[in-house]
Amino acid sequence: MLQCAFLEVTCFSFVYNTGNWAKIPTSVSALKGSCVVIPCEFNFSRFDEYAKDVLGMWQYDHFGKYINHPDSSEVVSNFKGRTDLIGDLQKHNCSLKIDAVKVDDTGPFCFRFEVPGIDRASYLDHTVFIHVKDSPDVPSINLLSEVKARVDLAVTCSVPHTCPSNPPAITWSRTNATLTVHHKATGNAMWEVSSVLKFTPLASDHMNRLTCTAQYWGGQQANISVLLNVKYKPVILSESACTVDITGQVTCQCIVDSNPPPLIEWRVSDSILNESNTGLKSFSANNSRGEQNTVTTGVLQGGVAFTASIFCSATNTQGKASLSFTRPMSDLYIYITISVVAAVLIIAIVAAVSRLRIKRNERKKQAPKIAFRNNYGNTQGDIANDVYQNAQLETKSGTPNGFTNDVYANVQAFEVVEDIYKNVDANIGPYKDYRTNHRK
């Protein structure tokens, strides 16, 4: 009781005087290793008169020790260099900042003012305790429930804190965006920092993680991630195609990337698929591709005529896409076509060769030949010798000159023949020899 009476005298002189008051929270939260600001407002009855002379300080441990004092030598070693009276006393502000918060910085703490030689008071009825936390609060993200591709988006990440002089620094996992930072007091010795991220999402951002990280003063950090659910219109992928088996059955795959999943519709020769009329069957299947899982495959199966055109269309709430398919030939038809073409080529080659041979033989048959027949039945090369021998024979036997004239007449005829058949083959060589000899 004596101790309490002493404290009341030393700490609360004039505290109950008219006009003395203080506004201090009863408790605040602080992050271990970070900083905390204890908001404080005060007044005393003669404040206006002595505001420029007032001194402020903070006490603890039954208010016999100082954690902050204008004379730093009065500060206990455990708090030296870690406290700062950041409030402007001349404006009734007595706020205190404690840096590098420790687990035993719990209080209670109270504010005291002094006007040397004039007035002094400690506000025992307005003590404050500090609740020290080992880990920071997790940030929160405000994200629209529906995100559309190529539509501007603003995402807000907010985190509470207790140190407005050194608020947490917020960073994002996305870099190609614009940032805006806001600060505000939320009451009860708490503040909030918010970072607004603005960007234009694309289809490729679907199911990507967007992470917000808060780096607290003192080194601790916390983060939060969300998956972007980006809605975008269908895109028919390039691997979509039709195949035909050996029996001529067609299988077409229309592979679509979209969110939400599309409605896939087939058209054959400009008519909407009707299984009862065409015998064609269609169905869809979802394909998993990484985390996105947004690929849907539409399948068309059945017999399709060579001249038929095949179309695939995919529709969702964001738009529509379509693709025209080319019906391929089956392997059997390809083999048959190749065989037919090869056979035609072989036949054409054989026919061409045969025609060449026939023409060559015809030329040989049509080549001119000179044949002279004498009374003795000799022809061609023998004729010259026969004529010469006959001439010699008739001369020796005394044959009349008329016969000899006939022989020479034949020789003249041979000269005419030469002019006609000058390019004939060598088989008339003996005749030429005869003519030459005869001239000599």
Side-chain angles (χ1 to χ4, degrees):
M1 293 295 293
L2 291 176
Q3 184 181 15
C4 291
F6 175 78
L7 291 173
E8 185 174 342
V9 171
T10 58
C11 293
F12 287 92
S13 67
F14 312 114
V15 73
Y16 298 110
N17 290 346
T18 304
N20 286 21
W21 53 265
K23 293 180 180 179
I24 303 174
T26 57
S27 67
V28 296
S29 296
L31 176 63
K32 177 183 175 181
S34 186
C35 64
V36 61
V37 171
I38 302 173
C40 174
E41 294 181 28
F42 78 105
N43 189 54
F44 59 92
S45 59
R46 303 173 70 180
F47 181 84
D48 293 339
E49 184 179 356
Y50 296 106
K52 66 181 185 302
D53 300 320
V54 68
L55 301 176
M57 56 211 72
W58 283 80
Q59 299 172 307
Y60 91 113
D61 192 14
H62 298 290
F63 316 111
K65 300 178 181 179
Y66 292 99
I67 64 172
N68 178 266
H69 195 279
D71 182 359
S72 60
S73 63
E74 294 290 334
V75 178
V76 295
S77 59
N78 189 38
F79 283 92
K80 279 186 180 294
R82 295 199 298 123
T83 62
D84 185 16
L85 201 158
I86 61 174
D88 186 350
L89 296 177
Q90 295 185 28
K91 295 181 179 180
H92 302 278
N93 192 330
C94 51
S95 298
L96 176 72
K97 174 185 175 182
I98 302 176
D99 203 359
V101 174
K102 299 179 180 179
V103 292
D104 55 356
D105 293 345
T106 56
F109 306 106
C110 79
F111 175 70
R112 176 182 174 84
F113 81 89
E114 291 184 4
V115 179
I118 304 297
D119 203 353
R120 60 184 179 178
S122 294
Y123 297 89
L124 182 61
D125 287 346
H126 298 83
T127 59
V128 59
F129 289 86
I130 298 177
H131 172 63
V132 181
K133 300 185 297 182
D134 290 330
S135 58
D137 293 327
V138 176
S140 62
I141 286 185
N142 179 18
L143 178 65
L144 294 175
S145 59
E146 184 172 278
V147 179
K148 295 183 178 182
R150 302 189 180 279
V151 177
D152 292 344
L153 176 68
V155 185
T156 302
C157 178
S158 304
V159 61
H161 63 96
T162 60
C163 189
S165 60
N166 300 97
I170 295 179
T171 57
W172 294 87
S173 59
R174 192 180 185 97
T175 56
N176 55 335
T178 59
L179 296 176
T180 306
V181 180
H182 304 280
H183 301 274
K184 68 177 181 178
T186 58
N188 196 28
M190 294 296 295
W191 289 262
E192 182 183 82
V193 58
S194 300
S195 176
V196 181
L197 179 78
K198 294 182 179 180
F199 67 100
T200 303
L202 303 175
S204 57
D205 291 315
H206 179 60
M207 297 307 289
N208 284 350
R209 292 186 178 276
L210 183 64
T211 301
C212 163
T213 301
Q215 183 78 35
Y216 288 82
W217 180 258
Q220 292 206 60
Q221 67 177 27
N223 60 67
I224 185 173
S225 296
V226 294
L227 289 176
L228 294 176
N229 183 15
V230 181
K231 294 185 177 180
Y232 54 96
K233 65 181 182 180
V235 176
I236 300 179
L237 304 183
S238 59
E239 53 261 44
S240 301
C242 291
T243 58
V244 181
D245 63 17
I246 195 169
T247 65
Q249 291 293 302
V250 176
T251 299
C252 294
Q253 289 189 332
C254 186
I255 305 173
V256 183
D257 182 12
S258 70
N259 184 44
L263 173 64
I264 297 178
E265 184 178 72
W266 292 96
R267 298 177 68 89
V268 178
S269 297
D270 295 329
S271 298
I272 297 177
L273 175 65
N274 187 330
E275 295 185 11
S276 60
N277 294 337
T278 64
L280 296 171
K281 295 182 179 180
S282 67
F283 57 90
S284 296
N286 293 327
N287 293 346
S288 177
R289 293 196 177 186
E291 293 184 349
Q292 292 189 344
N293 194 26
T294 57
V295 176
T296 303
T297 300
V299 181
L300 177 71
Q301 290 181 334
V304 178
F306 281 108
T307 58
S309 55
I310 303 172
F311 297 89
C312 165
S313 64
T315 308
N316 68 2
T317 58
Q318 306 303 306
K320 182 178 181 179
S322 60
L323 179 67
S324 174
F325 291 86
T326 300
R327 185 197 185 284
M329 294 179 62
S330 69
D331 292 343
L332 178 60
Y333 295 151
I334 293 174
Y335 296 151
I336 293 174
T337 301
I338 293 174
S339 300
V340 170
V341 171
V344 170
L345 289 175
I346 292 172
I347 292 172
I349 292 171
V350 171
V353 172
S354 298
R355 289 183 62 187
L356 288 175
R357 288 180 176 177
I358 292 171
K359 288 183 177 181
R360 184 177 297 174
N361 293 335
E362 288 178 351
R363 290 196 196 101
K364 289 181 178 181
K365 291 179 179 180
Q366 294 174 0
K369 294 183 180 180
I370 299 174
F372 297 95
R373 183 174 299 273
N374 60 11
N375 296 329
Y376 302 97
N378 296 328
T379 61
Q380 295 184 2
D382 296 334
I383 190 62
N385 292 329
D386 291 341
V387 171
Y388 179 77
Q389 290 175 1
N390 289 334
Q392 294 293 329
L393 180 61
E394 293 297 333
T395 301
K396 291 180 180 180
S397 58
T399 304
N401 292 335
F403 179 78
T404 302
N405 291 335
D406 293 337
V407 171
Y408 280 103
N410 288 333
V411 172
Q412 293 297 322
F414 290 160
E415 290 178 355
V416 175
V417 172
E418 178 193 19
D419 293 336
I420 297 174
Y421 295 104
K422 60 181 177 179
N423 292 326
V424 178
D425 291 341
N427 56 2
I428 64 173
Y431 163 73
K432 289 184 178 181
D433 293 340
Y434 167 79
R435 179 177 61 90
T436 302
N437 293 333
H438 179 75
R439 283 182 176 177
K440 291 180 180 180

